[in-house]
Amino acid sequence: MDIAFRHLSSRTVPSAHPCMTTPGANSCYADDVRKSKVPLRKNSLSSSLSSAMAGMTQGFLFRSPTTVNFGVDTATGVADFVTLHGGSKVLLVTDKGLVQHKVVQPVIQALVDGGFNPVVFDDVPPDSDLNCVQRAVEIGKKEDCDCIVAVGGGSVIDTAKVVNIGLCNDGDLRDFEGINCLTDRLKPMFVIPTTAGTGSEVSAVAMIRDLETGKKLLYGSEFLYANMAILDPQLLVSLPPKLTAATGMDAVTHCLESFVSRTSNCLSDALALEAGTMLFASLPRATGHGDDIEARSATLIASCMAGMAFTNAGVGVVHALAHSVGGKYGTHHGLTNAVLLPFGMKLNLASSAEKYAKFWRHLSGSGMFTEIGYESFVSKDHIDDLAAANLLLNGVRELMKLCKLPSRLKDIGVPELGKEELLEIAEISMTDPAIMFNPGETTVDDLVTILREAF
Ligand SMILES: NC(=O)c1ccc[n+]([C@@H]2O[C@H](COP(=O)([O-])OP(=O)(O)OC[C@H]3O[C@@H](n4cnc5c(N)ncnc54)[C@H](O)[C@@H]3O)[C@@H](O)[C@H]2O)c1
Ligand SMILES: [Fe+2]
């Protein structure tokens, strides 16, 4: 068994006391660093050690308050967690595809066996919208639901998060859009992801379309962290190959964008690097063999780790563009990211060659990737950062080929764009919060170039 799959098949025992989120925690590491009297002994270190510690005095804040429980069949333990958090009336949010594939039934049965009579809302569309959220809020309020269980992909999870805002607040849900616009704790929420990609189970954000304006609303708050993320690889077996690959590439993009983000830190970097390694190794296998529980486990855990990385460090130009392209042409989030990723990385080579090179050296150093079929990850001595960074970019292209994914916008339903449309998408993307985290200066022209090249 190779490194990426070790330890993944054993059932993980749930913690006896799943911790609640602790909103308001604001102790800033930066202050501790500034006050520190310990002198930095730079001169006494060897140069490689010294470079490994470069930037280590930079302050950061890292939050990941969601309790994670991984293991085959853990989804059937959901009732215990609802009980621990004092829930009595569950609103279960899911979608019709998951009902059809019988993914959600074992969770409903487990809740019934645990003494709950869940109210099931299964009307979530892909890339969900405010109308859907409103319908679920009305049902949840009418039935006096006091906690939420979300079973599904990113669309279901994001819907459930905004439903939670609606259950706890009166008024127009648009008024709560934006970063830190919530003032109170929400109802306990338990998330069971059925795709391995978005990381929404551990993220503090939700994105929902407003059908009236065509805009995708971004909700970002400390209070949107779920109380529990229950990762059960068995639930992903029915996910078709194309969706497995597309959602997996969302997670790969979270790794590679958060790793070079302006606000990355050593904790988010460690998560992104290890999650990236697991994804390059496991995604082709999970795509080709949906019932391979080892590969499903690796993608599910890696996607969760990538979620922790990006919710702390941010994403970048690829996500900024994918949000506007997806909003306009209805393309799948992960697939759009996949197609744009090599072009976004090309733009960032100028600012981030050193970090991409570090990523490449981590992958090529493990020695396991040539066996899977990656030529770009053959280990090489004496290779400079730019050459190593370019090999990582080629490795992303190889991963997409191994997963049989298309590589151009025209292949995923985006029509040929004229000069004005290109400018419009680029300008909308420049206002997307994701762009703030992209390394280096990014201009409208850069974004137009990416869109042109990716077509
Ligand atoms: N909040 C965040 O942190 C965050 C991050 C990234 C993306 N997102 C959002 O997530 C959404 C995309 O989510 P997604 O990529 O997970 O896809 P999705 O939730 O839209 O699901 C896509 C399709 O896959 C089906 N499906 C899901 N799991 C299945 C399974 N196990 N078996 C069979 N079919 C299954 C669903 O029924 C659906 O038809 C977008 O709206 C995006 O904006 C949110
Ligand atoms: Fe994403």
Side-chain angles (χ1 to χ4, degrees), residues 250 254 319 333 337:
D250 190 16
H254 294 157
H319 268 80
H333 176 74
N337 275 327

Side-chain angles (χ1 to χ4, degrees), residues 15 63 95 106 108-109 111 145 149 152 186 197 209 233-234 263 274 307 348 353 360 375 382 388 407 416 421-422 432:
S15 150
R63 296 272 292 130
D95 70 34
I108 297 176
Q109 191 57 51
L111 285 165
C145 293
V149 172
L186 304 176
R209 279 187 306 148
Q234 194 64 44
T263 49
E274 203 48 47
N348 287 339
W360 177 82
E375 283 174 22
H382 313 302
S407 58
E416 186 154 11
E421 286 157 314
L422 283 169
D432 190 289

Side-chain angles (χ1 to χ4, degrees), residues 1-261:
M1 200 190 296
D2 53 42
I3 310 171
F5 295 102
R6 234 179 268 155
H7 309 307
L8 294 181
S9 12
S10 64
R11 185 177 166 145
T12 309
V13 181
S15 150
H17 303 286
C19 65
M20 296 287 289
T21 55
T22 49
N26 58 2
S27 82
C28 186
Y29 174 78
D31 288 340
D32 297 345
V33 171
R34 268 182 240 117
K35 285 176 203 151
S36 168
K37 295 267 167 22
V38 182
L40 293 175
R41 295 185 302 135
K42 222 176 177 180
N43 296 339
S44 62
L45 298 170
S46 74
S47 65
S48 60
L49 255 181
S50 179
S51 89
M53 291 185 195
M56 286 281 169
T57 56
Q58 185 77 40
F60 65 83
L61 183 69
F62 184 94
R63 296 272 292 130
S64 194
T66 303
T67 303
V68 177
N69 181 206
F70 164 80
V72 175
D73 282 343
T74 43
T76 55
V78 62
D80 293 345
F81 296 117
V82 174
T83 305
L84 268 169
H85 285 261
S88 58
K89 190 76 183 174
V90 177
L91 176 64
L92 188 143
V93 181
T94 188
D95 70 34
K96 293 223 159 40
L98 290 157
V99 175
Q100 247 168 37
H101 283 95
K102 300 203 178 343
V103 176
V104 72
Q105 282 82 341
V107 181
I108 297 176
Q109 191 57 51
L111 285 165
V112 171
D113 293 346
F116 298 98
N117 183 18
V119 177
V120 178
F121 179 85
D122 66 3
D123 206 14
V124 178
D127 240 343
S128 184
D129 56 74
L130 273 185
N131 296 358
C132 158
V133 171
Q134 276 302 357
R135 288 198 302 278
V137 169
E138 274 161 35
I139 293 170
K141 279 189 169 166
K142 194 169 144 230
E143 298 281 345
D144 268 338
C145 293
D146 59 8
C147 64
I148 299 182
V149 172
V151 185
S155 301
V156 164
I157 302 170
D158 284 13
T159 301
K161 287 178 176 177
V162 185
V163 168
N164 206 353
I165 299 174
L167 285 184
C168 301
N169 296 279
D170 293 321
D172 192 333
L173 280 166
R174 291 178 190 88
D175 295 343
F176 301 95
E177 188 212 2
I179 306 294
N180 291 332
C181 297
L182 302 177
T183 50
D184 293 310
R185 209 181 261 253
L186 304 176
K187 297 195 185 294
M189 185 160 147
F190 312 88
V191 174
I192 307 178
T194 63
T195 61
T198 71
S200 184
E201 69 275 14
V202 287
S203 85
V205 294
M207 292 194 77
I208 290 289
R209 279 187 306 148
D210 180 351
L211 295 179
E212 270 175 35
T213 60
K215 248 183 83 185
K216 206 156 177 180
L217 308 178
L218 172 75
Y219 295 84
S221 165
E222 179 79 23
F223 300 110
L224 287 175
Y225 281 116
N227 297 69
M228 289 273 324
I230 302 173
L231 311 183
D232 185 341
Q234 194 64 44
L235 301 192
L236 276 75
V237 166
S238 55
L239 190 66
K242 207 173 156 194
L243 270 170
T244 300
T247 49
M249 285 306 296
D250 190 16
V252 171
T253 311
H254 294 157
C255 292
L256 288 167
E257 291 213 286
S258 66
F259 195 69
V260 299
S261 143

